[in-house]
Amino acid sequence: MTTTRERGVGAQSGLKPIKLAKPALEGGDSLAAAFRLRRTEREFSDKPLPPQVLSDLLWAACGINRKRGPFGVSGRTAASASNSQEVEVYAVLREGTYLYDPRRHQLTPVVAGDLRRLALGARQGDAGADAPLRLVFVADVDKLEHTSGFEEPGLHDPDVQRSYYYVDTGLNAGNVYLFAASRGLAAWFHNCDRAALSAKLNLGDRRRPLFAQTVGYRQRKRKRL
């Protein structure tokens, strides 16, 4: 069923939904190699990510990997508290910002315009300014309080909620780091301008921007003459 929010997201953005290619998980380095290669890198080229790589990356972050997971809810590549799946992933691209929809495996437009600079903390300068993609992790508190998974008291306690969605964001970001390492990409998990993003994305008081992650190809160092 399409919710009121889904119908309203991006309705006036001028952008169209992006149907992502089916995830293609063959190829790339092994999991063991990805563990060895995982690192934070802050220098990126402006080379766009191919559509297939973007699809695979988003699926790795929090895509559906089984139709029936814990408590009868579809399972994700990243675990979450009581399988509440409260962390949403926004893809911030040059042309606009999209919300990743794991169920449809597509990007739903939210707002047009380049918000990549806002997906960075105020004191982090211009690091990664050329990167083609920044992911923004947003916690939807209502998905904890009205979980489709296991109902437990902590889901209604603000302090426990924070511990849950911070940990769950780390699980999403860890998946992105390992995917990037396996595909020869650079990745960097960092702070973001929470207040500005909340306003620009019209998140309201129940959705909270937490952190962001920049992903792209490594910036090649120029050879000295």
Side-chain angles (χ1 to χ4, degrees):
M1 179 180 295
T2 302
T3 66
T4 301
R5 178 174 182 269
E6 286 176 324
R7 288 194 297 269
V9 166
Q12 299 178 352
S13 70
L15 301 171
K16 295 181 179 180
I18 299 175
K19 182 63 178 176
L20 298 166
K22 182 179 179 180
L25 306 178
E26 297 77 14
D29 288 324
S30 68
L31 179 60
F35 278 125
R36 289 195 297 270
L37 295 170
R38 194 228 63 86
R39 66 197 64 191
T40 291
E41 300 183 65
R42 295 175 176 82
E43 295 183 1
F44 301 82
S45 79
D46 60 0
K47 179 182 177 182
L49 295 177
Q52 187 65 64
V53 173
L54 178 61
S55 169
D56 297 347
L57 169 65
L58 290 166
W59 184 87
C62 64
I64 292 176
N65 63 0
R66 57 206 187 281
K67 292 182 179 180
R68 189 173 180 82
F71 316 113
V73 183
S74 61
R76 300 282 185 90
T77 57
S80 61
S82 292
N83 200 23
S84 299
Q85 303 172 4
E86 79 284 2
V87 178
E88 298 178 332
V89 177
Y90 287 73
V92 185
L93 304 170
R94 182 186 301 276
E95 70 272 18
T97 299
Y98 299 79
L99 172 62
Y100 175 52
D101 180 346
R103 183 164 54 90
R104 296 185 178 92
H105 192 57
Q106 74 173 25
L107 289 173
T108 301
V110 178
V111 61
D114 191 349
L115 301 184
R116 288 177 296 173
R117 182 61 189 84
L118 298 183
L120 198 64
R123 301 179 65 179
Q124 291 173 306
D126 293 323
D130 294 328
L133 171 67
R134 279 188 162 135
L135 303 176
V136 174
F137 301 99
V138 174
D140 184 344
V141 177
D142 282 342
K143 288 183 179 178
L144 288 172
E145 294 188 353
H146 305 285
T147 184
S148 297
F150 177 69
E151 179 67 44
E152 55 103 346
L155 297 177
H156 304 277
D157 182 310
D159 290 332
V160 177
Q161 287 175 350
R162 279 191 290 273
S163 68
Y164 283 161
Y165 57 64
Y166 280 131
V167 168
D168 293 346
T169 296
L171 295 174
N172 295 134
N175 282 7
V176 172
Y177 263 127
L178 289 176
F179 174 84
S182 74
R183 299 296 179 92
L185 299 172
W188 172 32
F189 182 71
H190 49 77
N191 219 324
C192 61
D193 189 334
R194 296 181 179 88
L197 283 172
S198 184
K200 288 287 187 180
L201 302 179
N202 193 28
L203 296 178
D205 61 355
R206 303 295 287 173
R207 288 182 170 82
R208 299 165 188 175
L210 302 176
F211 295 98
Q213 193 167 21
T214 301
V215 184
Y217 290 99
R218 296 183 180 92
Q219 178 66 61
R220 293 183 179 179
K221 294 182 179 180
R222 296 180 179 179
K223 294 182 179 180
R224 293 182 179 180
L225 299 177

